[in-house]
Amino acid sequence: MKLKNILFGLACMSFMASCADLDYREYTTYDKSYVFTDFGRTGAVVTNIYSYLDSDLPADGSLCSACDESEYAWSWSTVLGYTDGRWSSTNAYSRWSFEGIRKANFFLEESVNADFSELRFDKNYEAEMKRFNRYQYEVRFLRAYFYFNLARAYGDVPLITKVLTEEEANQVSRTPVAEVFDFIVKECDDIADELPVDYTKLENDAANGTSPETGRITKQAVLALKARTLLYWASPLFNEDNDPTLWQRAAQASKDVLDFCDANNIQLGKYSEIWGTENYKAKEMIFVRRIGDTNSPETTNFPVGMENGNSGNCPSQTLVDAYEMQATGKAWNEEGSGYDANNPYSGRDPRLGMTIAVNGDKWPDTNPNPLETYTGGRNALPIAGATPTGYYLKKYLDSTTDISSSTGSGGKRHSWVTFRLGEFYLNYAEAVFNYLGSADATDAVFTMSPVEAVNKVRNREDVKMPDFPSGMSADEFIQKYRRERMVELAFEGHRFWDVRRWKDGDSQKNIIEMQITKNGDNYTYKRVTKSRYWNDKMYLFPIPDSEMRKNPNLTQNPGW
């Protein structure tokens, strides 16, 4: 390996470790003449910016246990701070990070007019230049995506599109969230047509061949970011006056995603294909972040009571109750649903069995015994760390992973779903419903009703849930839609943010657990309510006190 490449690698590590927040810290900026005279070094800078994409695979600290999807089994977990009142500006669980944005700004500033002319006689020069010319659009997407994550957490945030000096960094002010959302939408509009749909089909391009760069930003990812941004912008947290034009724009953007996916053979497939080692190849995927080989989700969440099982994020009864009865399409507690209190998991939405492990399940495959989640059972309380809810997690875990000390084989590929088609049928349904005012409404533009859009998701080949009925009242549709969204997108990083953008904090004031008792060969099931702390200030994150001290121009979010 050349010395210059070793030094560049060390510089990358140093660059990644510094400037974790908006505060300025000393670091050596890459020299333009060094980075932008070598295609490999330039690509490494862009790859480093990609590394700031988020993921929330189930682990300690995952937001699934900071909302009513699940409950973390161990009392020492920091995630409990979201729900027990410890959350504060000095205990901020900070997402106030501008490092990816700073690096994107550096690339966009310093790459201007780079032509790699000294490499023009290389045989791959034309192909490499095509790839380089796309980088600016990929990086603009990444910067916009990072800003979306900041805005949904904090609301108003400083909108910075250049590299700052130390003095400038400590004087920035917060930009109104509407301006930040508008910036994201405009960036998406500007760059969408500059990016390919499928990198494997490019001709005369460095990304083609035996190792196509299938993990890069595509046009459909840009459309998806725009649509998600507009949905959040239209939602009650950020649309206090319920401006119908924001809902119209959100509906149109989601429709654009659906139309584009339909035209490019991106289709709903099996629900079970959403996770697993090959999930990035599933036909409904719009953008997936490759995490790599790891067994962390399994070692964190496999049941206590099997070798090296640690428990972890345990699905709540609140979530289980969202899964309707398959024969009737009704909630468990609706009259005529067909629910059997003595056999509570029979006849339910098939997504329940794919997502959640219940008492008696043979889970995972490497567990020699069926689960015993009843009180006193092999995988249950009072064993330390056992599930407090009566359930263990399946979704995003590989059931064939062996975590035993003697025969454990290490981790397998995991990939985090950033955007997939199922989300945008639901987003479309929500936006059109709020714009047109009815679950069955259509017009000349939005020819698919909200009910029809939701039914597309429920009609997957391995789900086949009854259609949403026509004629529902607004309140009936909202209740049923939110239940469907909780089920379809469970553990995919949506629920924590959905309850905030809807301003539905009251739903987070408690969580339901299932207490199971064994009586001979029979079981009794009792729902137990556990209180959680909620304050409306928690709709937005607190800006860390450390940032407020360094920058007098920052203002704190209300209540913190």
Side-chain angles (χ1 to χ4, degrees):
M1 182 181 293
K2 295 181 180 180
L3 177 60
K4 66 178 183 180
N5 290 334
I6 296 174
L7 293 175
F8 181 71
L10 293 174
C12 280
M13 288 188 287
S14 175
F15 196 62
M16 289 177 66
S18 65
C19 306
D21 301 307
L22 189 58
D23 59 310
Y24 181 94
R25 301 181 192 175
E26 298 254 345
Y27 65 91
T28 301
T29 304
Y30 301 138
D31 182 76
K32 179 178 179 179
S33 63
Y34 175 70
V35 174
F36 298 104
T37 54
D38 181 271
F39 289 119
R41 291 193 291 267
T42 305
V45 172
V46 176
T47 298
N48 182 240
I49 298 170
Y50 268 90
S51 74
Y52 290 92
L53 285 168
D54 60 325
S55 67
D56 197 27
L57 288 175
D60 177 27
S62 294
L63 292 182
C64 58
S65 289
C67 64
D68 56 1
E69 276 185 321
S70 64
E71 183 175 354
Y72 205 77
W74 294 95
S75 61
W76 45 255
S77 174
T78 57
V79 76
L80 300 180
Y82 285 103
T83 60
D84 66 7
R86 281 181 286 162
W87 199 6
S88 70
S89 61
T90 55
N91 189 25
Y93 306 111
S94 179
R95 292 171 179 261
W96 187 264
S97 175
F98 287 75
E99 187 172 358
I101 292 168
R102 181 186 295 106
K103 293 183 179 182
N105 287 338
F106 164 80
F107 180 87
L108 293 170
E109 283 187 12
E110 298 299 324
S111 63
V112 175
N113 298 323
D115 62 3
F116 300 90
S117 57
E118 66 276 19
L119 303 176
R120 64 186 181 278
F121 297 116
D122 289 2
K123 64 178 181 179
N124 292 325
Y125 176 76
E126 181 180 352
E128 292 286 6
M129 281 302 297
K130 286 184 177 180
R131 179 162 60 177
F132 169 74
N133 289 331
R134 277 198 308 272
Y135 283 161
Q136 60 181 304
Y137 305 111
E138 296 174 50
V139 170
R140 286 174 67 181
F141 169 91
L142 293 169
R143 181 177 62 179
Y145 181 83
F146 300 151
Y147 262 116
F148 170 78
N149 285 348
L150 279 168
R152 72 176 176 179
Y154 294 97
D156 302 350
V157 294
L159 181 57
I160 303 163
T161 57
K162 66 176 185 178
V163 177
L164 300 181
T165 65
E166 178 180 5
E167 182 178 3
E168 290 171 332
N170 289 326
Q171 294 180 0
V172 296
S173 300
R174 299 174 70 183
T175 303
V177 68
E179 293 183 26
V180 178
F181 285 146
D182 188 56
F183 167 78
I184 296 167
V185 170
K186 287 179 178 177
E187 284 288 274
C188 290
D189 286 340
D190 285 349
I191 67 178
D193 290 336
E194 305 295 340
L195 290 165
V197 177
D198 187 344
Y199 282 79
T200 67
K201 295 179 180 179
L202 298 175
E203 296 182 2
N204 190 26
D205 191 281
N208 202 5
T210 57
S211 299
E213 297 179 303
T214 54
R216 307 198 83 91
I217 302 304
T218 58
K219 179 174 182 176
Q220 55 267 34
V222 177
L223 297 178
L225 175 60
K226 176 183 175 180
R228 187 186 286 178
T229 299
L230 284 166
L231 180 75
Y232 273 68
W233 193 357
S235 297
L237 181 60
F238 303 111
N239 183 16
E240 295 181 359
D241 297 329
N242 197 29
D243 181 352
T245 61
L246 289 177
W247 285 115
Q248 181 185 26
R249 293 178 68 192
Q252 183 62 60
S254 289
K255 181 179 185 298
D256 291 343
V257 172
L258 299 181
D259 290 346
F260 186 87
C261 288
D262 183 60
N264 288 277
N265 202 34
I266 301 170
Q267 303 171 347
L268 293 174
K270 293 183 178 179
Y271 190 71
S272 58
E273 294 174 342
I274 292 169
W275 63 101
T277 57
E278 302 295 308
N279 70 330
Y280 67 96
K281 296 180 180 179
K283 56 186 177 181
E284 79 166 277
M285 294 307 172
I286 294 174
F287 183 75
V288 176
R289 185 186 178 189
R290 314 287 179 83
I291 305 300
D293 292 349
T294 177
N295 64 6
S296 178
E298 290 74 31
T299 56
T300 301
N301 295 282
F302 274 178
V304 163
M306 64 175 288
E307 186 179 358
N308 291 331
N310 189 60
S311 189
N313 300 283
C314 300
S316 67
Q317 183 63 42
T318 308
L319 174 59
V320 171
D321 284 343
Y323 292 85
E324 298 172 345
M325 304 302 297
Q326 188 173 27
T328 63
K330 293 184 176 183
W332 70 278
N333 57 352
E334 287 185 81
E335 184 177 354
S337 69
Y339 174 77
D340 181 356
N342 296 315
N343 196 8
Y345 314 117
S346 176
R348 302 293 284 271
D349 185 328
R351 290 172 291 187
L352 171 60
M354 300 181 212
T355 304
I356 299 170
V358 306
N359 183 53
D361 278 356
K362 181 63 168 61
W363 170 262
D365 294 349
T366 51
N367 186 1
N369 304 294
L371 287 178
E372 298 177 358
T373 62
Y374 55 85
T375 302
R378 186 190 305 270
N379 314 104
L381 296 173
I383 299 172
T387 172
T389 65
Y391 305 103
Y392 286 101
L393 179 63
K394 284 184 177 180
K395 192 170 180 178
Y396 266 121
L397 309 186
D398 190 316
S399 66
T400 65
T401 298
D402 185 353
I403 63 171
S404 65
S405 300
S406 58
T407 60
S409 54
K412 298 181 181 180
R413 179 188 292 136
H414 289 73
S415 300
W416 176 253
V417 178
T418 303
F419 300 116
R420 65 176 177 89
L421 181 57
E423 174 196 344
F424 292 92
Y425 275 108
L426 297 178
N427 292 357
Y428 171 92
E430 182 178 342
V432 172
F433 169 78
N434 281 282
Y435 172 53
L436 296 180
S438 165
D440 301 308
T442 60
D443 67 8
V445 175
F446 305 112
T447 57
M448 178 171 56
S449 72
V451 162
E452 290 170 329
V454 175
N455 290 341
K456 293 279 189 179
V457 174
R458 290 167 69 88
N459 282 325
R460 292 176 182 275
E461 61 180 292
D462 60 346
V463 174
K464 296 299 182 185
M465 285 295 291
D467 286 348
F468 272 26
S470 59
M472 286 188 289
S473 69
D475 287 344
E476 288 171 336
F477 176 78
I478 290 170
Q479 182 182 40
K480 198 170 177 68
Y481 166 81
R482 291 186 179 183
R483 194 161 62 219
E484 176 66 23
R485 189 174 178 93
M486 191 177 189
V487 164
E488 173 69 17
L489 302 177
F491 300 101
E492 294 183 44
H494 292 273
R495 178 68 177 174
F496 178 91
W497 303 107
D498 281 345
V499 298
R500 284 164 168 76
R501 66 181 180 85
W502 291 330
K503 300 190 76 172
D504 187 28
D506 285 349
S507 68
Q508 304 304 296
K509 289 183 176 179
N510 59 62
I511 194 170
I512 310 298
E513 305 168 339
M514 180 61 85
Q515 185 181 91
I516 308 172
T517 304
K518 185 177 184 182
N519 305 292
D521 293 332
N522 299 314
Y523 301 94
T524 57
Y525 301 87
K526 179 182 178 182
R527 288 173 172 79
V528 178
T529 300
K530 181 176 181 178
S531 296
R532 284 182 161 182
Y533 177 80
W534 175 266
N535 185 299
D536 284 353
K537 68 181 181 181
M538 294 161 59
Y539 285 127
L540 294 173
F541 277 53
I543 297 176
D545 181 70
S546 59
E547 293 297 316
M548 300 285 293
R549 291 174 183 271
K550 286 179 289 191
N551 184 350
N553 292 329
L554 291 178
T555 56
Q556 185 57 275
N557 275 325
W560 294 105

